[in-house]
Amino acid sequence: MTHPAFELVRNEHVSALNLTVEEYRHRITGARHIHLAAADDNNAFLVAFLTVPQDSTGVAHILEHTALCGSRHYPVRDPFFLMLRRSLNTFMNAMTASDWTAYPFASQNRKDFFNLLDVYLDAAFFPTLDPLDFAQEGHRLEFAEAENPDSELTFKGVVFNEMKGAMSAPISALWQALAREIYPTTTYHHNSGGDPQHIPDLSYEQLKAFHARHYHPSNATFFTYGDIPAADQQAIMEDRALRHFQRLDIDLRVPPEQRYAAPRVVEETYAAEDGDTARKTHIVLGWLLGDMTDLDQVLRLNLLSRLLLDNSSSPLMHALETTELGSAPSPLCGLDDSARELLFAAGVEGSEPEHAAAVEKLILEVLAEVAETGVPAEQVEAMLHQIELGRREIGGDRYPYGLQLIMNALPQAVHHGDPVQALAIDAALERLRTAAAEPGFVQGEVRRWLLDNPHRVRLTMKPDATQAEREHAEEQSRLAALRADLDATQSARIVAQAKALVDRQAQHDDPDILPRVTRADVAPTLKIPPVVHEPVAGLPASWYDQPTNGLVYQQIVIDLPALDDDALQLLPLLAETISDVGAGGRDYTQTQALHAALTGGISASASVGALAGNAQTSRGLFVVSGKALVRNHGALSKLLHETLHTARFDELDRLRELVAQIRMSDENSVTGNGHSLAMAAASATMSPVARLAHQWSGLAAIKAIKALDDSLNDPAALKGLADRLAQLRQSIAAAPLQFLMVAEDEQQPDIALRLAQVWLDTGAQPSDNARTLALPPVNGRIAQAWTTNTQVNFCARAYPAVAWSHPDAPALSVLGGYLRNGFLHTAIRERGGAYGGGAGFDADSAAFRFYSYRDPRLADTLNDFGRALEWLHGDEHPPQAVEEAILGVIGGIDRPASPAGEARKAFHAGLFGRTAQARQSYRQTVLGVTLDDLRRVASTYLKPQLANTAVITSPATLERAGDLGLTPVRL
């Protein structure tokens, strides 16, 4: 059935995805609606607009923020964040890409879905776009002392600070520089998120004009997914939005880029820490390729990129990993298919500027060799296998599977391609397989797209130890010039705007204007997949029957044996390297090739978690994981066994490469993950698990991998590391173990047979699920300021709390959302200008933690953490506020993962005492939390004398901040 306002263009069943794609067009406006009809109650919605900024003021990004700050039917100050707490959503966000802006959400609750649909439609098509919201979210001038026009002038704004943080990351700066050169005339030449140097140039009038031009149904594509019929959703779309518009004759399509006649060479700089510029240069080659609306062409280029770069046996990846011209392959390596015309990049990081020509020569020589000799047929087949596996796998661990499918089709839709064929690609895959079997296929593709393509850029981005301070001085000079030109009237206007914004942020809108769900709408129980315990070869095995669409997932779960401190600190490195070295008598390139041909990847992880009943007692696991198409499950079992028992660390050059790559990756992670790293540092003395988290994956780990990498220039140190890893692997392989198996029920008997053939008579010891890890107790106070290259700050404060099964744990979990909703969001984001801030309870670390993310402030934010507790004990607390915080926790507990992810979550929770029954009980207790409970647990655990503090900042910012009582630590 189709709503009369729409016409059905076509529908197509996609058996590989178990859904039907229905394409509709709105009769009056021409808006497209793509509905993915599936037997899934986690329904998803997305509306997207082609947005093509012509400068780097961040207009599309700032509009995305401002549109969510109030609308025609919902004239409250912050409906998006209010709905976050009045909803049981499984996903809510808005996002700006280089050429589109999208507003997606998902929910398993039908009432909630339609509530969100109403709010999202109103926000997208009828936003208030209040000038004060533009000032808050985008940028504004404000005096350092808001009411004192004689104080210094400053730039403020959420997006302004967000992009300062984003552009602090060298990889972000590298990508923007490459895009600027590859796309000299089209929208991709500009930074759609906004360059902090240009964001203050955007006017409110330009924002309004951009919305009027781009946010129209004639430039919109609607996507929906799930078991709610398309007509039901079209009725809402028509009534709430589309009936108010007529067709607009608008064509925003991105034109073809003007092609270079010859390759270009470009050199730029990025801000680096003072004195830390050796081997910090990035050297990348980029090519502009073909049109992304040509699906066959996109698949051919995807295959070519995989053949060149997929793994260490791929020719170009092997060259980039093994060259002494850089420390690691560039994170930009690969195919970017998000723009109208595709981009391919290859290069290195951890290099020197003088190596640029040699890096280019290396890459071109590898490509020339491939163009001459091709690649083995089995490598082509392995990459086709990877495409097939990726096509079949049902995701949903990062965000809902329906949105994952929508995002795959979205670029085709906004660029007037064929979004249906982007999903129903089986015929195109068959054409690709036929083409790839033709003699000379790979050679021809390399020549056409790379060797004979003059639209190529060699970008060298070198570190500049003075750039950060120079940019800060330029900003201060710009502000001083602006201040010097202000007359009394203009100064008074800035003071008045600051006051008006504070008043607006303090106003209490009636949230009941917005729709909501309540505790009565919460599902009665948590969905937990059932498990069957059936041993294999005398070893415990837990079997989950899940709809995996022809894939099998397997884990070897090993109890950590008693390890000395040196071995314990080495364990994460073993996990990161064990599947990337040789095994089974093969070298590492042969092993990588075999993994690609037969599996969807093999990996390992080391984890230590607190037991549910005692946060000071922990259990340690080493897990070797893999996935494969069912037809390859026997090979998967064998490869997992080989990885655990025969991984070799005697390929010393390979080990050296892996450590350098890990270092590069860890260093690049700081500005994107700074709030988590700061919280881990602040929590490090709360429990043994918290200390290990800081040492294994926190700031201490980054500092340690840098020291280890530096030490391995000594051949004896490298050999010693290899010997220690080999010995540690032997200790792990001899420890008791069990299996986790996830597959469809009808496949399980054959899987068990093949698994038994691998493990029978191997002498493996069964896990009894009773072993704990003896870790020394922790204590002490932390007050640290970690310094690195960043234009923004990350603040954290932690208090010792309780174990997961403690009666106060549910109230502490609700307290985090309550403090964020009622105080921290306004204080840290709206008033303070940080991109984000909040609080939460972490049972593994037995800590309650406050944080801020991409924050321009330090001392004031730390003070706000304390003021949040004062606010909690005040009188003004609306009765529905506790329920909203409860719904947030329940939404997190109930949020579904992929079929395999749900099984993994249930299994591993049980290993630490969080059984299905205990999880249901915890959830039920959350539903009964009261305001008195929140105040009681805050008074009991969040005592100032027990607090730890950690921040991440730059040396210059720390110096300007004065005495914060924090010990500086150089990262």
Side-chain angles (χ1 to χ4, degrees):
M1 180 178 175
T2 304
H3 188 276
F6 289 79
E7 60 180 337
L8 177 65
V9 177
R10 59 177 164 162
N11 62 30
E12 185 169 341
H13 183 68
V14 185
S15 57
L17 301 177
N18 297 315
L19 55 79
T20 298
V21 185
E22 304 166 5
E23 181 179 8
Y24 302 89
R25 189 170 297 278
H26 188 248
R27 296 179 187 275
I28 294 178
T29 66
R32 299 171 87 177
H33 176 206
I34 312 297
H35 179 61
L36 313 184
D40 187 349
D41 66 357
N42 193 14
N43 287 275
F45 167 88
L46 177 147
V47 60
F49 305 94
L50 181 64
T51 47
V52 286
Q54 300 304 308
D55 56 39
S56 293
T57 60
V59 58
H61 186 190
I62 293 170
L63 177 57
E64 171 226 307
H65 279 239
T66 312
L68 298 172
C69 291
S71 60
R72 185 173 66 181
H73 287 130
Y74 302 110
V76 293
R77 185 170 49 84
D78 204 349
F80 178 78
F81 284 97
L82 286 172
M83 286 304 295
L84 277 173
R85 60 188 82 157
R86 300 168 68 86
S87 165
L88 291 166
N89 72 85
T90 56
F91 187 89
M92 267 183 74
N93 210 337
M95 53 195 71
T96 303
S98 58
D99 54 13
W100 52 258
T101 304
Y103 296 85
F105 70 82
S107 181
Q108 296 180 104
N109 182 288
R110 191 164 292 215
K111 173 184 173 183
D112 188 40
F113 180 89
F114 284 109
N115 287 350
L116 291 169
L117 180 59
D118 200 11
V119 172
Y120 265 63
L121 289 171
D122 208 50
F125 292 102
F126 309 107
T128 305
L129 299 183
D130 189 291
L132 289 174
D133 294 328
F134 169 68
Q136 172 185 286
E137 296 297 314
H139 70 87
R140 65 187 183 275
L141 287 170
E142 194 169 293
F143 292 108
E145 300 170 30
E147 298 180 1
N148 180 8
D150 294 326
S151 60
E152 291 184 357
L153 201 61
T154 63
F155 286 128
K156 290 190 174 182
V158 171
V159 171
F160 179 75
N161 289 312
E162 176 190 353
M163 295 310 297
K164 270 197 167 186
M167 298 310 295
S168 293
I171 302 306
S172 295
L174 180 68
W175 168 253
Q176 290 297 335
L178 182 62
R180 190 163 56 243
E181 299 299 329
I182 288 288
Y183 302 101
T185 67
T186 57
T187 187
Y188 312 110
H189 182 76
H190 309 289
N191 185 339
S192 64
D195 185 324
Q197 294 182 4
H198 297 289
I199 287 173
D201 297 331
L202 179 66
S203 71
Y204 172 68
E205 290 72 26
Q206 289 171 325
L207 182 90
K208 294 269 288 186
F210 194 88
H211 179 270
R213 179 168 170 77
H214 291 80
Y215 280 46
H216 189 281
S218 298
N219 186 44
T221 301
F222 296 90
F223 280 94
T224 53
Y225 165 91
D227 62 6
I228 298 176
D232 293 0
Q233 303 183 61
Q234 289 167 353
I236 304 297
M237 295 177 199
E238 172 68 7
D239 181 63
R240 301 294 195 272
L242 299 182
R243 67 186 178 89
H244 299 284
F245 293 89
Q246 296 298 313
R247 185 183 296 266
L248 182 66
D249 186 15
I250 183 173
D251 188 353
L252 296 172
R253 277 183 273 201
V254 180
E257 184 54 82
Q258 297 179 17
R259 298 284 172 149
Y260 294 142
R264 290 170 52 84
V265 173
V266 179
E267 185 173 285
E268 297 205 11
T269 62
Y270 72 92
E273 291 182 78
D274 186 25
D276 188 21
T277 60
R279 294 186 68 81
K280 294 287 187 180
T281 293
H282 299 260
I283 303 169
V284 176
L285 268 63
W287 286 263
L288 184 63
L289 307 180
D291 192 323
M292 59 83 61
T293 62
D294 184 336
L295 181 60
D296 287 319
Q297 186 172 269
V298 170
L299 288 173
R300 292 165 81 106
L301 290 169
N302 186 286
L303 176 60
L304 176 62
S305 178
R306 288 173 181 267
L307 287 168
L308 294 173
L309 290 166
D310 182 75
N311 60 72
S312 297
S313 69
S314 306
L316 187 51
M317 180 59 75
H318 180 71
L320 296 174
E321 285 185 336
T322 57
T323 182
E324 295 183 356
L325 297 171
S327 299
S330 171
L332 266 55
C333 283
L335 182 71
D336 180 83
D337 59 1
S338 61
R340 172 65 189 269
E341 292 172 285
L342 283 66
L343 185 157
F344 178 80
V348 296
E349 60 180 338
S351 188
E352 298 289 356
E354 59 268 25
H355 295 332
V359 170
E360 182 176 32
K361 182 173 182 287
L362 170 69
I363 293 171
L364 294 178
E365 285 177 346
V366 172
L367 295 177
E369 183 177 350
V370 174
E372 180 67 26
T373 63
V375 297
E378 56 268 23
Q379 286 192 15
V380 177
E381 183 57 39
M383 293 305 100
L384 290 169
H385 160 258
Q386 289 296 316
I387 294 173
E388 178 191 358
L389 191 147
R391 166 84 169 140
R392 281 188 168 276
E393 185 168 23
I394 300 175
D397 291 327
R398 291 181 57 224
Y399 53 91
Y401 178 56
L403 282 176
Q404 179 182 315
L405 295 175
I406 288 170
M407 297 300 289
N408 289 342
L410 177 58
Q412 287 281 341
V414 297
H415 289 294
H416 301 267
D418 190 343
V420 176
Q421 290 306 305
L423 296 165
I425 65 171
D426 291 344
L429 286 175
E430 282 304 310
R431 293 193 296 271
L432 175 64
R433 185 174 288 277
T434 300
E438 293 291 326
F441 168 79
V442 174
Q443 295 94 316
E445 296 295 300
V446 170
R447 290 192 191 97
R448 177 187 178 189
W449 296 111
L450 301 176
L451 288 177
D452 297 340
N453 179 1
H455 197 109
R456 184 178 84 229
V457 172
R458 186 186 84 200
L459 171 63
T460 303
M461 181 164 277
K462 60 184 183 181
D464 183 343
T466 66
Q467 183 166 323
E469 276 303 296
R470 189 171 64 251
E471 289 176 349
H472 176 74
E474 289 170 355
E475 181 179 302
Q476 294 304 305
S477 177
R478 180 179 183 180
L479 288 164
L482 289 169
R483 193 181 189 290
D485 289 340
L486 292 176
D487 58 28
T489 301
Q490 292 169 322
S491 294
R493 190 177 299 129
I494 292 173
V495 171
Q497 182 191 57
K499 183 180 186 306
L501 185 55
V502 168
D503 291 343
R504 179 168 170 78
Q505 291 164 345
Q507 76 184 39
H508 294 288
D509 295 324
D510 179 8
D512 289 331
I513 293 173
L514 291 161
R516 63 183 300 208
V517 292
T518 68
R519 276 179 274 204
D521 298 300
V522 172
T525 58
L526 173 63
K527 296 177 184 177
I528 300 175
V531 61
V532 174
H533 300 289
E534 186 69 38
V536 174
L539 299 169
S542 299
W543 296 85
Y544 288 84
D545 172 22
Q546 290 286 87
T548 59
N549 202 21
L551 271 72
V552 58
Y553 299 81
Q554 183 181 82
Q555 290 188 345
I556 306 171
V557 183
I558 304 153
D559 293 330
L560 283 187
L563 298 171
D564 61 29
D565 191 61
D566 180 69
L568 200 61
Q569 297 305 320
L570 198 60
L571 202 58
L573 183 61
L574 176 67
E576 288 199 72
T577 57
I578 193 171
S579 61
D580 288 326
V581 297
R586 300 174 299 270
D587 66 26
Y588 75 92
T589 61
Q590 294 168 328
T591 300
Q592 291 276 290
L594 198 59
H595 288 182
L598 296 172
T599 79
I602 291 176
S603 62
S605 62
S607 65
V608 173
L611 297 188
N614 184 351
Q616 305 305 315
T617 304
S618 52
R619 180 175 186 178
L621 302 173
F622 191 88
V623 181
V624 184
S625 306
K627 61 186 177 186
L629 296 170
V630 168
R631 66 174 183 260
N632 293 325
H633 67 78
L636 173 65
S637 295
K638 183 179 179 183
L639 286 170
L640 289 171
H641 183 275
E642 286 181 351
T643 300
L644 177 61
H645 287 276
T646 67
R648 50 187 288 198
F649 294 92
D650 58 343
E651 298 171 289
L652 298 183
D653 288 344
R654 174 60 171 170
L655 181 59
R656 184 71 188 85
E657 294 159 11
L658 290 173
V659 172
Q661 291 173 28
I662 294 166
R663 174 185 182 163
M664 292 289 103
S665 176
D666 286 355
E667 287 185 321
N668 291 336
S669 72
V670 175
T671 53
N673 195 39
H675 61 310
S676 297
L677 295 169
M679 284 191 287
S683 307
T685 59
M686 303 297 174
S687 71
V689 170
R691 181 185 62 180
L692 273 183
H694 181 51
Q695 294 172 342
W696 280 9
S697 58
L699 293 165
I702 298 173
K703 194 174 177 70
I705 195 68
K706 290 169 68 174
L708 176 64
D709 183 50
D710 290 341
S711 75
L712 296 184
N713 295 322
D714 178 0
L718 180 60
K719 178 64 167 62
L721 176 64
D723 292 343
R724 289 158 56 209
L725 286 168
Q727 184 178 2
L728 180 57
R729 183 203 57 73
Q730 290 180 342
S731 298
I732 297 297
L737 60 87
Q738 59 184 307
F739 301 112
L740 166 62
M741 308 297 301
V742 187
E744 287 147 325
D745 184 65
E746 62 270 21
Q747 307 291 346
Q748 292 185 5
D750 189 53
I751 293 171
L753 177 64
R754 303 279 185 172
L755 185 62
Q757 290 171 351
V758 172
W759 285 90
L760 202 61
D761 300 325
T762 60
Q765 299 299 307
S767 170
D768 60 6
N769 278 332
R771 179 174 298 203
T772 58
L773 199 62
L775 295 175
V778 293
N779 52 56
R781 295 284 306 281
I782 288 174
Q784 296 174 336
W786 290 76
T787 60
T788 187
N789 173 43
T790 176
Q791 296 183 61
V792 290
N793 311 305
F794 305 87
C795 304
R797 178 161 289 160
Y799 298 83
V802 297
W804 182 82
S805 67
H806 191 282
D808 287 339
L812 285 165
S813 67
V814 174
L815 178 62
Y818 193 81
L819 293 174
R820 180 193 65 240
N821 294 348
F823 184 87
L824 294 171
H825 174 75
T826 298
I828 293 175
R829 179 186 167 101
E830 294 182 346
R831 295 176 184 163
Y835 185 49
F841 166 62
D842 181 65
D844 265 335
S845 60
F848 188 91
R849 312 183 300 191
F850 292 81
Y851 70 90
S852 71
Y853 181 69
R854 293 183 178 172
D855 190 348
R857 308 182 305 163
L858 282 172
D860 287 343
T861 292
L862 296 175
N863 289 335
D864 279 338
F865 294 158
R867 284 194 284 265
L869 299 178
E870 296 172 9
W871 166 85
L872 175 66
H873 294 286
D875 295 327
E876 295 185 15
H877 292 270
Q880 74 272 20
V882 174
E883 181 173 70
E884 291 174 352
I886 288 171
L887 291 176
V889 175
I890 295 297
I893 291 173
D894 290 359
R895 185 168 295 124
S898 67
E902 283 294 304
R904 286 191 295 263
K905 184 164 58 175
F907 173 79
H908 284 278
L911 293 182
F912 294 92
R914 301 176 189 182
T915 63
Q917 182 179 356
R919 291 168 68 194
Q920 299 284 12
S921 176
Y922 186 100
R923 181 178 182 271
Q924 197 61 37
T925 306
V926 166
L927 288 167
V929 168
T930 66
L931 178 59
D932 287 343
D933 292 330
L934 301 183
R935 287 171 165 165
R936 176 180 55 78
V937 296
S939 297
T940 302
Y941 302 105
L942 309 189
K943 297 177 178 177
Q945 67 271 23
L946 301 177
N948 285 351
T949 301
V951 303
I952 300 174
T953 186
S954 70
T957 301
L958 184 63
E959 182 178 352
R960 287 193 294 267
D963 184 13
L964 298 175
L966 305 176
T967 302
V969 184
R970 180 73 176 268
L971 183 56

